[in-house]
Amino acid sequence: MTETNFDRYLARKLENEDFRRRFEEADQAWDIALQLAALRKARHLTQQQVAELLGTKQQAIARLENPAYSGHSLSMVRKYAEALRAIVNITLTPLERL
């Protein structure tokens, strides 16, 4: 695979510890949002239906499924998953292993 200008740019930026930490946090939020949306779609539910299951508003579900949102709480993600018959698995990785 050919390395692009963006690949080189990102590699340089990731050398900065603060940038790397923020990048990894954003990546995790993106992953959570996409998994929530995929689970909902696999269950053939709308955001409104999930909101009703959780006793909240559709806008709250849209926010949870938005990759730009980084305020996911573990308790809300668990409630969402449980309402859609899924479980949440968490893996803690020591920084030195990254």
Side-chain angles (χ1 to χ4, degrees):
M1 182 179 216
T2 305
E3 185 178 53
T4 65
N5 285 338
F6 179 76
D7 294 327
R8 288 186 288 276
Y9 168 79
L10 183 58
R12 280 193 314 272
K13 293 295 282 182
L14 289 171
E15 290 173 3
N16 178 287
E17 187 176 325
D18 184 54
F19 179 86
R20 185 175 54 252
R21 179 187 52 76
R22 288 183 288 124
F23 184 83
E24 289 168 356
E25 288 172 1
D27 183 53
Q28 291 168 359
W30 180 278
D31 192 44
I32 291 168
L34 294 178
Q35 287 186 59
L36 293 175
L39 177 60
R40 175 182 56 78
K41 291 173 185 174
R43 298 288 191 240
H44 305 288
L45 297 170
T46 65
Q47 289 181 343
Q48 182 62 43
Q49 290 169 317
V50 174
E52 290 168 6
L53 287 171
L54 295 175
T56 190
K57 297 183 184 279
Q58 178 272 329
Q59 292 88 343
I61 302 307
R63 184 173 53 247
L64 289 171
E65 293 181 2
N66 182 341
Y69 179 66
S70 61
H72 298 94
S73 73
L74 182 55
S75 64
M76 183 51 123
V77 171
R78 278 188 175 147
K79 287 177 188 175
Y80 187 113
E82 289 170 4
L84 276 67
R85 300 180 334 272
I87 61 169
V88 175
N89 290 313
I90 297 173
T91 303
L92 302 177
T93 304
L95 292 176
E96 62 271 10
R97 290 187 45 206
L98 296 177

